[in-house]
């Protein structure tokens, strides 16, 4: 949430910062802004709306300095206005600041600063922090040899409660900047005669593949040639410089109309990457390198607890089915945001898993920390290498699907389903799942990319259906067992990108209330795969049809529905039950995507949303 980028180097800062903001725009797009230090003064340009608006403003009077910061905002404190856009300037004109996070005690600090003559032009918590740094900067002389701006930031942060990723420049110190993080991501890009700080690597990879993932509580002082990382108590940190493994092209849209479309069609390859090298030599089980638990420790696990948010939680719910079915270990799934406060009693031999595409979701991170505080080991499934969750977990599994830029998660979701199925296989093979069943399971997983390709081939038919149904204002998604979470996910996808009201429900629950919604105006998307409860699902469909509800049925090959029962039928390949949720996700992703396109919605940047939710 909120994208930040800072550049200190030998080239003009503004073009690089604007390019970085375009790449970070998916983190927030309420307003954008840039501040460049040139000829001893800050030039700040900020505007509500997208980076394109900012580019138009900047083009009117080009910025020439080689040292600057930029921000793309997802509003927390204060409405979406030019004044509330970042960067913020202290009222004495000395300090300029960009911030991702929330300063919780901002009103007490503001009162203190108002009493000392500082004034405020915005309603934001960020401007308060900016003035607090200016206050400390003005108050102190060089502090035991420490750079004065760095010392001021350190002092101000001591009095700050909340979360932050910040980058600070001081008008008196050209060619320097200070950045710090607590709870919000911040990455340092180490270049040749230039250094960069940004919220994520997508803003850095155009210049350098060498990055340092800053940790909570760290403060970095940067010049074009050097950087020095310290902790709050001034201890120097030896940096670990990592190499980013993906390239600029991975984060580009290519010939697709939207990132979401690209990411939907990328799924066969994404699944191949997520499973590559992760099966045992005898082809009967999964292997994961970074779990950091022995087979016998896994064998001793009596319960598994998953915590996640949104789409990732739906992936956990499918995984619950898979682990209970194939490994016979009881599983609980919880919203991370609820888990962290509920204090539910936990079984002694519980293994914790968190799932998070970004690895930065604050509620998921807090759930991880809460479980660790109680003495549990926590493993993480995450897509972003070096993310906070990946680093703080006791072990984990990377999804390896490359950057997911579309705000609506697609390829990250199906790869989480795949990894969940592989976990079920792994745990199952440590218990009662036979060698033969394991081999069949592995074969089924390896077939998943091709099955997804076949499901994607239905895109033209699904697009035509979407065009016929895009005028509706309500839609239900109904499924059972492991496809119930896929119904929840279908409804979430539709809501978030097309702004239609949609709900996911277990199909048989309809008669306990929601069936009251059914009319000609409320279509239902039904999952009706081959299986022992197909007849029950067909009965639920009959109940909807009897009340004139239009039905879009997603069936597996070979399912024959009674004539006239479904208004639309989408056929997906029949497959192993561990793979079915992956394949069944494809038509609902496509349906949501094409409905949103038909309604003229901004698919990759839906209103009010941002990818990577780093505020509570
Ligand atoms: C929906 C979506 C969100 C995320 C949720 C968790 O399409 O993307 O619901 O799944 O915000 O994000 P991560 O997985 O990054 O923790």
């Amino acid at each position: 949430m909120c994208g930040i980028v800072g550049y200190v180097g030998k080239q003009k800062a503004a073009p690089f910062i604007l390019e970085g903001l375009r790449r970070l725009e998916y983190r927030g797009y309420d307003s954008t802004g840039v501040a460049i230090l040139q000829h001893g003064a800050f030039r700040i340009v900020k505007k509500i709306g997208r980076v394109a608006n900012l580019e138009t403003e900047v083009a009117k009077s080009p910025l020439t300095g080689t040292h600057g910061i930029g921000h793309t905002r997802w509003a927390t404190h204060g409405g979406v206005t030019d004044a509330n856009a970042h960067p913020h300037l202290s009222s004495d004109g000395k300090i300029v600041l960009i911030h991702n996070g929330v300063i919780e005690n901002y009103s007490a600090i503001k009162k203190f600063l108002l009493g000392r003559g500082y004034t405020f032009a915005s309603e934001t918590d960020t401007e308060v922090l900016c003035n607090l740094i200016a206050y400390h900067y003005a108050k102190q002389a060089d502090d035991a040899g420490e750079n004065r701006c760095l010392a001021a930031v350190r002092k101000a942060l001591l009095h700050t409660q909340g979360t932050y990723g910040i980058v600070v420049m001081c008008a008196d110190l050209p060619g320097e900047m200070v950045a710090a993080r607590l709870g919000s991501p911040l990455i340092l890009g180490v270049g040749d005669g230039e250094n960069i700080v940004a919220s994520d690597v997508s803003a850095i990879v155009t210049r350098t593949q060498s990055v340092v993932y800053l940790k909570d509580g760290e403060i970095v002082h940067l010049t074009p040639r050097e950087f020095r990382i310290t902790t709050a108590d001034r201890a120097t940190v030896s940096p670990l410089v990592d190499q980013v493994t993906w390239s600029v092209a991975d984060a580009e849209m290519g010939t697709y109309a939207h990132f979401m479309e690209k990411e939907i069609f990328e799924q066969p390859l994404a699944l191949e990457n997520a499973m590559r090298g992760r099966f045992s030599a005898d082809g009967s089980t999964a292997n994961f390198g970074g779990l950091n638990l022995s087979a016998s420790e896994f064998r001793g696990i009596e319960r598994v607890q998953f915590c996640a948010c949104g789409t990732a939680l739906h992936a956990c719910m499918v995984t619950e089915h898979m682990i209970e079915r194939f490994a016979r270990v009881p599983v609980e799934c919880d919203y991370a945001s609820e888990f962290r406060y509920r204090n539910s009693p936990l079984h002694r031999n519980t293994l914790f898993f968190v799932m998070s595409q970004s690895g930065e979701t604050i509620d998921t991170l807090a759930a991880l920390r809460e479980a660790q505080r109680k003495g549990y080991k926590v493993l993480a499934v995450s897509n972003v290498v070096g993310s906070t969750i990946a680093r703080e977990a006791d072990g984990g599994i990377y999804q390896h699907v490359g950057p997911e830029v579309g705000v609506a998660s697609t390829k990250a979701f199906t790869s989480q389903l795949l990894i969940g199925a592989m976990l079920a296989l792994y745990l199952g093979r440590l218990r009662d799942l036979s060698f033969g069943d394991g081999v069949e399971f592995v074969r089924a997983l390896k077939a998943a990319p091709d099955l997804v390709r076949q499901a994607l081939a239905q895109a033209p038919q699904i697009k035509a259906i979407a065009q016929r149904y895009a005028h509706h204002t309500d839609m239900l998604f109904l499924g059972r067992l492991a496809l119930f979470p896929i119904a929840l996910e279908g409804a979430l996808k539709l809501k978030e990108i097309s702004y239609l009201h949609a709900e996911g429900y277990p199909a048989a629950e309809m008669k306990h209330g929601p069936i009251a919604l059914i009319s000609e105006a409320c279509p239902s998307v039904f999952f009706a795969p081959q299986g022992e409860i197909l007849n029950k699902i067909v009965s639920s469909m009959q109940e909807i049809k009897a009340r004139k509800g239009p039905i879009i049925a997603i069936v597996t090959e070979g399912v024959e529905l009674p004539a006239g029962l479904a208004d639309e039928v989408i056929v997906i390949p029949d497959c192993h039950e561990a793979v079915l949720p992956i394949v069944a996700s494809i038509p609902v992703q496509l349906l949501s995507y094409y409905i949103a396109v038909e309604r003229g919605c901004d698919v990759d940047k839906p209103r009010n949303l941002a990818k990577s939710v780093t505020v509570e």
Side-chain angles (χ1 to χ4, degrees):
M1 231 150 221
C2 297
I4 60 184
V5 54
Y7 174 88
V8 54
K10 54 196 172 191
Q11 307 205 3
K12 281 186 192 161
F16 173 74
I17 290 170
L18 289 169
E19 158 84 17
L21 291 181
R22 241 181 286 116
R23 292 180 184 279
L24 292 175
E25 201 173 22
Y26 69 94
R27 303 180 68 92
Y29 30 86
D30 291 331
S31 60
T32 54
V34 61
I36 304 290
L37 185 58
Q38 50 195 49
H39 313 305
F42 292 119
R43 279 228 30 231
I44 301 177
V45 185
K46 48 190 196 173
K47 273 295 296 159
I48 60 167
R50 304 288 164 89
V51 177
N53 294 3
L54 182 67
E55 283 170 333
T56 311
E57 283 302 305
V58 168
K60 289 179 189 162
S61 160
L63 301 166
T64 53
T66 59
H67 173 200
I69 56 180
H71 185 270
T72 174
R73 178 175 188 238
W74 188 85
T76 55
H77 287 65
V80 179
T81 62
D82 287 347
N84 288 339
H86 300 213
H88 287 284
L89 180 68
S90 60
S91 61
D92 63 6
K94 288 284 185 197
I95 299 290
V96 76
L97 171 75
I98 48 176
H99 170 219
N100 171 19
V102 174
I103 305 302
E104 287 163 4
N105 59 336
Y106 77 100
S107 76
I109 300 174
K110 189 169 183 173
K111 203 164 148 202
F112 169 83
L113 291 169
L114 282 167
R116 277 147 190 88
Y118 286 84
T119 58
F120 295 87
S122 79
E123 306 153 311
T124 64
D125 52 339
T126 301
E127 193 187 10
V128 174
L129 177 57
C130 182
N131 276 308
L132 185 63
I133 294 169
Y135 165 78
H136 285 293
Y137 182 77
K139 215 173 71 156
Q140 70 192 15
D142 282 345
D143 184 359
E146 181 156 60
N147 172 287
R148 201 168 144 202
C149 179
L150 176 60
V153 171
R154 206 188 289 287
K155 287 233 163 83
L157 292 179
L158 275 180
H159 300 282
T160 302
Q161 286 156 17
T163 55
Y164 51 80
I166 52 168
V167 191
V168 181
M169 293 193 298
C170 176
D172 299 337
L173 301 168
E176 295 183 26
M177 72 183 44
V178 177
R181 71 159 277 182
L182 186 73
S184 302
L186 207 57
I187 294 160
L188 174 67
V190 185
D192 177 13
E194 58 188 14
N195 284 311
I196 302 158
V197 270
S199 305
D200 68 50
V201 288
S202 60
I204 292 175
V205 284
T206 52
R207 286 297 171 90
T208 176
Q209 306 284 116
S210 304
V211 298
V212 178
Y213 297 100
L214 295 173
K215 297 197 186 76
D216 270 353
E218 290 181 348
I219 304 178
V220 55
H221 175 256
L222 310 157
T223 66
R225 304 221 153 263
E226 286 171 351
F227 65 89
R228 185 168 159 256
I229 304 173
T230 50
T231 58
D233 51 12
R234 289 186 173 205
T236 300
V237 175
S238 311
L240 184 67
V241 182
D242 274 304
Q243 293 300 310
V244 179
T245 52
W246 53 270
S247 68
V248 180
D250 290 333
E252 311 232 295
M253 209 149 63
T255 54
Y256 290 95
H258 300 99
F259 277 107
M260 184 180 179
E261 185 190 24
K262 176 190 179 221
E263 287 156 8
I264 289 175
F265 283 91
E266 241 170 35
Q267 288 176 106
L269 182 63
L271 293 170
E272 274 160 20
N273 289 340
M275 67 175 118
R276 181 165 298 120
R278 285 179 164 167
F279 292 114
S280 62
D282 69 357
S284 77
T285 191
N287 272 335
F288 297 105
L291 293 177
N292 301 337
L293 286 184
S294 67
S296 70
E297 284 173 300
F298 272 110
R299 186 76 183 78
I301 297 303
E302 291 177 73
R303 281 177 182 271
V304 179
Q305 170 82 50
F306 282 94
C307 291
C309 302
T311 289
L313 182 65
H314 299 153
C316 296
M317 291 166 75
V318 174
T319 305
E320 173 181 3
H321 276 267
M322 296 304 156
I323 292 179
E324 292 192 340
R325 165 91 174 80
F326 294 102
R328 310 296 301 152
V329 180
V331 179
E332 292 272 335
C333 289
D334 209 347
Y335 293 100
S337 53
E338 291 295 304
F339 173 81
R340 62 184 291 193
Y341 292 116
R342 200 177 42 232
N343 198 22
S344 52
L346 297 169
H347 189 278
R348 203 158 47 96
N349 293 328
T350 299
L351 175 63
F352 267 82
F353 268 95
V354 291
M355 275 201 198
S356 174
Q357 185 286 128
S358 62
E360 299 294 347
T361 301
I362 197 92
D363 287 322
T364 310
L365 178 61
L368 175 155
R369 287 174 177 165
E370 176 66 6
Q372 284 178 334
R373 192 192 60 75
K374 289 181 168 167
Y376 292 91
K377 288 233 162 93
V378 183
L379 304 184
V381 176
S382 177
N383 190 35
V384 178
V385 174
S387 58
T388 310
I389 287 175
R391 280 190 283 112
E392 291 200 14
D394 298 289
I397 305 169
Y398 279 122
Q399 296 170 229
H400 292 314
V401 297
E404 188 179 67
V405 180
V407 165
S409 184
T410 52
K411 65 174 180 175
F413 175 63
T414 47
S415 68
Q416 286 164 347
L417 297 180
L418 176 78
I419 287 166
M422 292 170 77
L423 265 174
L425 168 65
Y426 177 69
L427 294 175
R429 290 285 292 125
L430 291 176
R431 290 175 168 74
D432 298 330
L433 195 71
S434 71
F435 175 79
D437 289 343
V439 168
E440 193 194 331
F441 201 124
V442 169
R443 272 201 209 112
L445 294 177
K446 286 186 173 169
D450 268 337
L451 297 171
V452 166
R453 266 182 209 107
Q454 290 171 40
L456 287 168
Q458 314 295 314
Q461 184 209 353
I462 297 171
K463 185 175 187 178
I465 296 173
Q467 286 164 346
R468 287 197 285 281
Y469 286 78
H471 65 281
H472 285 278
T473 50
D474 298 284
M475 212 176 265
L476 294 172
F477 288 76
L478 306 169
R480 296 195 66 169
L481 304 177
L483 295 190
F484 161 55
I486 305 301
L488 291 175
E489 176 60 9
L492 176 61
K493 283 295 85 106
L494 190 63
K495 293 188 249 222
E496 65 181 331
I497 60 168
S498 72
Y499 321 139
L500 287 187
H501 166 243
E503 284 186 49
Y505 244 84
E509 274 292 302
M510 284 296 288
K511 53 193 174 294
H512 299 290
I515 201 161
L517 293 169
I518 295 298
S519 72
E520 282 165 343
C522 180
S524 300
V525 177
F526 259 97
F527 290 106
Q530 288 282 16
E532 63 267 30
I533 59 165
L534 176 61
N535 287 342
K536 313 271 179 207
I537 297 173
V538 170
S539 300
S540 302
M541 290 166 106
Q542 299 279 14
E543 289 157 14
I544 300 295
K545 199 66 196 167
R547 287 157 184 88
K548 297 194 168 46
I551 292 179
I552 301 169
I554 298 172
V555 303
T556 48
E557 269 161 359
V559 168
E560 288 194 13
L561 297 174
L565 180 58
D567 300 82
E568 316 284 349
V569 179
I570 299 166
V571 183
I572 56 172
D574 196 15
C575 51
H576 191 283
E577 60 186 296
V579 176
L580 182 62
I582 299 174
V583 180
S585 300
I586 306 302
V588 288
Q589 292 173 348
L590 287 169
L591 191 67
S592 305
Y593 172 71
Y594 289 126
I595 288 179
V597 170
E598 188 64 18
R599 291 168 69 89
C601 298
D602 190 344
V603 173
D604 284 335
K605 298 189 184 68
R607 71 182 179 208
N608 306 338
L609 295 180
K611 208 162 178 77
S612 187
V613 182
T614 53
V615 294
E616 213 184 316

